[in-house]
Amino acid sequence: MAPSVARLLGNDQTSLMSSRVLGLVRASHPEPAAAVTTVAGLLAWGVGHRLAGVASVVLAVLASQLAVGWTNDALDAERDATVGRTDKPVAAGAVGRRTTAWAAATAAVTCPLVALTTNPTAAFWLTVALVSALLYDWPLKATAFSVLPYAVSFGALPAFVVLGLPGEPTPPAWLLAAAACLGAGAHFANVLPDLADDARTGVRGLPHRLGAAGSRVAAAGLLLAATAALVLGPPGPPSAIGLTAVGAAAVVPAVSWHAGRSAVRAGRRPVAAFRAVMLVALIDVVLLVASGRVV
């Protein structure tokens, strides 16, 4: 084979590999995956994990997020193609469905193995979170129970982080309740941009049954409840920072929905509501770290 031809073939293979990798990154739902992983890492640092513990938490949670995101896009490829979701790499053909499914399986196996570097009890709760999230992908996404996996998975996340500390301290109930409310609120906000597309493909989760207005109210109420639990749950009077966080949790969703309407008018997907959830989550974990009243 002539050197010039070999170089051309090599360049094609490199380009194909790069395209697949980029497609997998995009199919992993990188924005929420990065947000949840960052929140988990900050919480691990805030509750007192050493550097190795923080690294274990971050890597295990990242693996769980990759598994869930890839599974979602692999399962939804036909539905996404039906409604013309060109932003979905599997539906658009940027990465194969089988490749994405194998990546999801690899990440799903990696998650509990990395979590075990903390301790078995903590690893069990992260596995619960992973299984619950995968059950959302199928079959609960299209049922009236669609919110349950979000509440269970987010609620189990701080349990994993806290139980991973030496001595396996018991996670406070208010922390688990706040995380569950945050997860449930994330579900309602996340589905809002897809209500019409989901209706075309037969998906009828709880947000679809409540409608756009009901889902907005549910998301706002749950986000406010999550922040209030973090502020009022720990012993002692709430701090000024905490009360400010409650105010932010009340204002941020309203601002995000205004931004969402602007996006619709501009022909873009209205993703501001879900980003508002991630912003509230970040505010909440910073509040926890600053207060030092977790365990």
Side-chain angles (χ1 to χ4, degrees):
M1 183 181 294
S4 58
V5 175
R7 282 196 296 271
L8 285 173
L9 291 176
N11 289 340
D12 288 344
Q13 291 174 348
T14 301
S15 176
L16 179 60
M17 181 63 69
S18 299
S19 176
R20 286 178 177 173
V21 171
L22 180 59
L24 281 174
V25 170
R26 290 172 54 212
S28 69
H29 300 204
E31 191 172 327
V36 173
T37 302
T38 299
V39 165
L42 287 173
L43 180 60
W45 174 66
V47 300
H49 276 278
R50 295 184 177 181
L51 182 59
V54 173
S56 293
V57 167
V58 167
L59 292 175
V61 172
L62 176 59
S64 74
Q65 292 298 299
L66 294 176
V68 173
W70 284 330
T71 298
N72 179 275
D73 273 26
L75 290 175
D76 285 356
E78 292 181 6
R79 282 202 299 263
D80 290 336
T82 298
V83 297
R85 288 291 300 274
T86 57
D87 60 314
K88 293 286 191 175
V90 182
V95 63
R97 191 174 187 178
R98 179 175 295 182
T99 299
T100 307
W102 274 109
T106 301
V109 171
T110 300
C111 170
L113 293 178
V114 176
L116 280 170
T117 61
T118 56
N119 62 64
T121 305
F124 168 79
W125 283 107
L126 187 60
T127 304
V128 168
L130 173 62
V131 171
S132 171
L134 292 174
L135 287 173
Y136 170 78
D137 287 341
W138 187 87
L140 296 178
K141 180 178 182 177
T143 73
F145 303 101
S146 61
V147 70
L148 288 181
Y150 272 82
V152 171
S153 294
F154 273 71
L157 184 58
F160 160 63
V161 174
V162 175
L163 286 165
L165 288 167
E168 301 179 17
T170 301
W174 54 264
L175 178 60
L176 305 185
C181 287
L182 183 65
H187 174 49
F188 288 104
N190 189 41
V191 172
L192 279 171
D194 302 322
L195 287 175
D197 287 347
D198 287 344
R200 289 175 56 190
T201 55
V203 175
R204 276 184 51 80
L206 185 58
H208 309 84
R209 298 162 196 256
L210 293 180
S215 293
R216 290 191 187 99
V217 171
L222 287 162
L223 292 183
L224 187 59
T227 307
L230 295 178
V231 173
L232 302 176
S239 65
I241 295 176
L243 294 176
T244 302
V246 172
V251 171
V252 167
V255 173
S256 74
W257 292 324
H258 175 73
R261 287 195 294 270
S262 299
V264 170
R265 287 194 293 268
R268 302 189 306 271
R269 291 189 76 245
V271 296
F274 187 71
R275 288 175 178 169
V277 175
M278 295 298 99
L279 177 58
V280 171
L282 184 60
I283 291 172
D284 287 348
V285 78
V286 169
L287 167 66
L288 280 177
V289 171
S291 67
R293 297 186 297 171
V294 180
V295 293

